[in-house]
C-alpha cells in the first residue's frame, strides 16, 4: 500500500467507530427518534458568528430539552455516563434564523457537532439566534458578539483549573467522568471567584473556556459552571473519538489550534491565559506567547496540590517564563492568590 493511501485511508478504529455510530443512528430512527438541536454558547465579531452546538436523535417527547433546557437531565443525581449514551444526528442540516429571517443553512459533522462560521451583522453584546433541524425542532443559541474596540479577553482551561478532573490519569478520569454524580464534582478553590472578579473588572470582554473534554459533556459543564457562578462564555471542546491516523484526537493540538484561531479572529485582543501546571498548559501557553506575543496580556497558572499533581501524572517540566515569553506570568495555588498577583500587574 502506498504512503499516499496510508495518509487518506481512515484508521481502522475510525472505520469501526463510524460503523457503530451508523448502526446506533439507524436503530434510533427506527424507534421514532428525530433530530433535535442542543445549542452551546456561540461567539462572534463584526459581521460574523461562530455557531456551536450538537444535533442528537431523541424521541419527540424529549424535544423540550433542546428548546427549554440546553443541558438535559439537570435534576437528580446525574451520573456522568449519561452524557455518553446519547445518539448523535450526523450530517444534519441546521437552518439558522435571526429575528425570523433565514440567514444560513449548515450541516453538522459525522459526530453531530455544529461548528460553523456564518456571515451575520449583530451589535456587540449578547443575542439569541434560532436554530432549526430538519424535524422542525427549534432552540435558541446564546451568542456573544465582541465589540470591535475590545482589547482584552480571557481564555481559561477547565480541567483541573476550574473543575477537579485529573484527566491525564485514564482510570481516575473515567471514574470522575462516568461514575460520580456530577453534583459531587468540586470546583478548584477560588477559581470561580477569580473569573467572576475578572468579569466585573472587564464587563465587555469575552471569556472563553478551552477544554480537552468531549462535546458529550458540554451540558454537564454548563450546569457545573452555572452552579458555581462562573461567568457565562463559549465552551471550545473536542471529540474523544479516533481520527484518520490516531486512536484518539490530540487534546494538545486542539488547544493550540483554538488559540491560533482566536488570535486570527480577534487580532486586537490581548488574552489572559489561565491554566494549571499539571501537564501541558504551561508549554502550550509558552509556545503561543512566543508565536503571538502581541495577543497575550498575561498568563495565570494554578498550581496543583501535591496530591493532585501525583494523580495528574506529575507537574509540567516547564519553568516560570517571565523572561522567555516577554509577558507576565503569575503562579498560585488558588484563585485568591492569582487574583492578588493579577491585581498587582494591573490586569484587574
Amino acid at each position: 500500500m502506498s504512503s499516499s493511501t496510508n495518509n487518506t485511508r481512515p484508521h481502522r478504529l475510525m472505520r469501526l467507530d463510524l460503523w457503530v455510530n451508523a448502526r446506533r443512528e439507524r436503530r434510533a430512527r427506527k424507534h421514532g427518534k428525530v433530530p433535535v438541536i442542543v445549542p452551546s454558547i456561540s461567539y462572534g465579531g463584526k459581521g460574523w458568528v461562530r455557531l456551536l452546538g450538537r444535533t442528537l436523535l431523541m424521541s419527540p417527547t424529549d424535544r423540550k430539552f433542546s428548546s427549554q433546557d440546553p443541558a438535559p437531565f439537570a435534576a437528580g443525581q446525574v451520573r456522568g455516563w449519561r452524557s455518553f449514551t446519547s445518539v448523535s444526528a450526523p450530517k444534519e442540516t441546521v437552518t439558522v434564523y435571526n429575528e425570523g429571517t433565514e440567514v444560513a443553512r449548515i450541516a453538522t459533522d459525522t459526530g453531530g457537532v455544529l461548528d460553523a462560521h456564518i456571515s451575520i451583522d449583530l451589535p456587540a453584546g449578547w443575542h439569541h439566534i434560532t436554530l432549526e433541524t430538519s424535524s422542525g425542532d427549534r432552540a435558541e443559541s446564546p451568542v456573544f458578539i465582541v465589540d470591535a474596540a475590545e482589547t482584552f479577553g480571557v481564555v481559561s482551561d477547565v480541567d483541573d483549573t476550574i473543575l477537579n478532573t485529573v484527566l491525564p490519569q485514564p482510570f481516575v478520569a473515567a471514574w470522575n467522568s462516568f461514575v460520580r454524580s456530577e453534583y459531587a464534582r468540586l470546583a478548584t478553590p477560588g477559581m470561580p471567584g477569580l473569573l467572576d472578579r475578572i468579569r466585573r473588572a472587564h464587563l465587555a470582554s469575552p471569556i472563553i473556556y478551552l477544554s480537552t473534554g468531549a462535546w458529550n459533556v458540554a451540558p454537564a459543564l454548563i450546569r457545573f459552571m452555572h452552579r458555581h457562578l462562573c461567568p457565562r462564555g463559549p465552551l471550545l471542546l473536542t471529540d474523544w473519538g479516533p481520527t484518520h491516523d490516531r486512536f484518539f484526537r490530540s487534546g494538545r493540538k486542539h488547544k493550540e489550534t483554538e488559540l491560533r484561531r482566536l488570535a486570527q479572529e480577534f487580532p486586537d485582543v490581548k488574552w489572559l491565559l489561565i491554566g494549571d501546571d499539571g501537564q501541558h498548559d504551561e508549554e502550550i501557553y509558552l509556545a503561543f506567547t512566543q508565536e503571538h506575543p502581541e495577543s497575550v496580556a498575561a498568563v495565570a497558572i494554578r498550581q496543583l496540590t501535591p496530591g493532585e499533581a501525583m494523580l495528574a501524572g506529575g507537574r509540567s517540566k516547564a519553568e516560570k517564563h517571565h523572561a522567555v515569553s516577554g509577558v507576565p506570568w503569575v503562579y498560585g495555588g488558588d484563585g485568591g492568590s492569582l487574583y492578588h498577583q493579577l491585581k498587582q500587574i494591573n490586569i484587574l
Side-chain angles (χ1 to χ4, degrees):
M1 186 178 293
S2 68
S3 58
S4 61
T5 304
N6 284 332
N7 291 334
T8 58
R9 183 174 175 78
H11 192 285
R12 67 181 62 182
L13 189 60
M14 183 179 182
R15 298 198 301 273
L16 175 62
D17 183 61
L18 292 172
W19 180 80
V20 170
N21 289 339
R23 287 182 62 88
R24 295 186 71 210
E25 179 192 356
R26 288 196 297 270
R27 183 175 180 180
R29 291 183 185 274
K30 182 179 179 180
H31 285 81
K33 295 188 176 183
V34 296
V36 301
I37 181 73
V38 180
S40 188
I41 297 175
S42 303
Y43 70 89
K46 183 174 177 56
W48 63 273
V49 164
R50 182 184 182 185
L51 280 178
L52 301 168
R54 194 163 177 241
T55 50
L56 302 177
L57 291 172
M58 292 184 179
S59 56
T61 56
D62 290 334
R63 290 190 185 188
K64 61 180 181 294
F65 291 134
S66 64
S67 59
Q68 298 175 5
D69 182 5
F73 311 114
Q77 293 297 308
V78 184
R79 303 294 172 180
W81 59 265
R82 280 185 176 272
S83 299
F84 295 88
T85 59
S86 57
V87 181
S88 62
K91 303 296 183 181
E92 172 66 19
T93 298
V94 176
T95 305
V96 184
Y97 297 91
N98 178 43
E99 297 182 348
T101 301
E102 180 179 327
V103 294
R105 292 194 180 190
I106 48 186
T108 60
D109 67 11
T110 55
V113 174
L114 173 67
D115 186 348
H117 186 288
I118 66 170
S119 297
I120 182 172
D121 198 9
L122 297 171
W126 285 99
H127 302 270
H128 284 83
I129 293 178
T130 303
L131 307 179
E132 182 181 44
T133 66
S134 60
S135 67
D137 180 78
R138 287 192 170 200
E140 300 295 314
S141 176
V143 179
F144 182 73
I145 302 298
V146 180
D147 194 302
E150 183 58 51
T151 59
F152 179 80
V154 177
V155 174
S156 177
D157 176 44
V158 176
D159 315 308
D160 293 317
T161 299
I162 303 172
L163 166 67
N164 282 335
T165 309
V166 198
L167 274 180
Q169 281 289 327
F171 291 110
V172 179
W175 180 267
N176 287 337
S177 298
F178 292 96
V179 180
R180 295 186 71 187
S181 165
E182 69 174 54
Y183 288 90
R185 307 297 296 277
L186 300 176
T188 53
M191 295 304 292
L194 170 64
L195 290 169
D196 181 62
R197 284 174 163 180
I198 294 173
R199 161 58 69 223
R200 293 173 185 271
H202 300 276
L203 293 174
S205 300
I207 295 181
I208 295 176
Y209 299 96
L210 177 57
S211 172
T212 57
W215 278 107
N216 306 65
V217 303
L221 285 179
I222 291 171
R223 291 191 294 267
F224 173 87
M225 290 190 289
H226 178 73
R227 286 197 304 274
H228 292 276
L229 305 180
C230 295
R232 189 166 58 153
L235 281 168
L236 302 182
L237 304 172
T238 185
D239 191 334
W240 281 355
T243 66
H244 278 73
D245 57 355
R246 296 172 60 97
F247 282 102
F248 293 99
R249 285 170 172 79
S250 168
R252 178 169 180 163
K253 184 177 180 180
H254 163 66
K255 286 189 172 182
E256 292 170 342
T257 300
E258 292 296 344
L259 285 171
R260 293 191 186 103
R261 177 169 182 164
L262 289 171
Q264 294 174 351
E265 290 174 334
F266 304 105
D268 297 325
V269 172
K270 285 183 174 289
W271 299 94
L272 167 61
L273 307 178
I274 303 176
D276 64 81
D277 68 348
Q279 286 290 321
H280 300 301
D281 284 349
E282 287 179 283
E283 298 171 6
I284 294 170
Y285 290 168
L286 174 62
F288 181 71
T289 59
Q290 292 175 321
E291 184 179 342
H292 296 281
E294 74 287 350
S295 297
V296 184
V299 181
I301 298 296
R302 182 244 167 182
Q303 294 171 307
L304 274 62
T305 65
E308 290 171 335
M310 180 182 67
L311 290 173
R315 297 186 186 277
S316 166
K317 302 300 183 182
E319 301 293 337
K320 297 184 180 181
H321 306 297
H322 299 73
V324 178
S325 65
V327 300
W329 287 62
V330 299
Y331 285 74
D334 55 45
S337 174
L338 292 175
Y339 167 75
H340 290 296
Q341 294 181 67
L342 290 170
K343 192 172 182 179
Q344 288 176 354
I345 61 175
N346 297 319
I347 296 297
L348 298 176

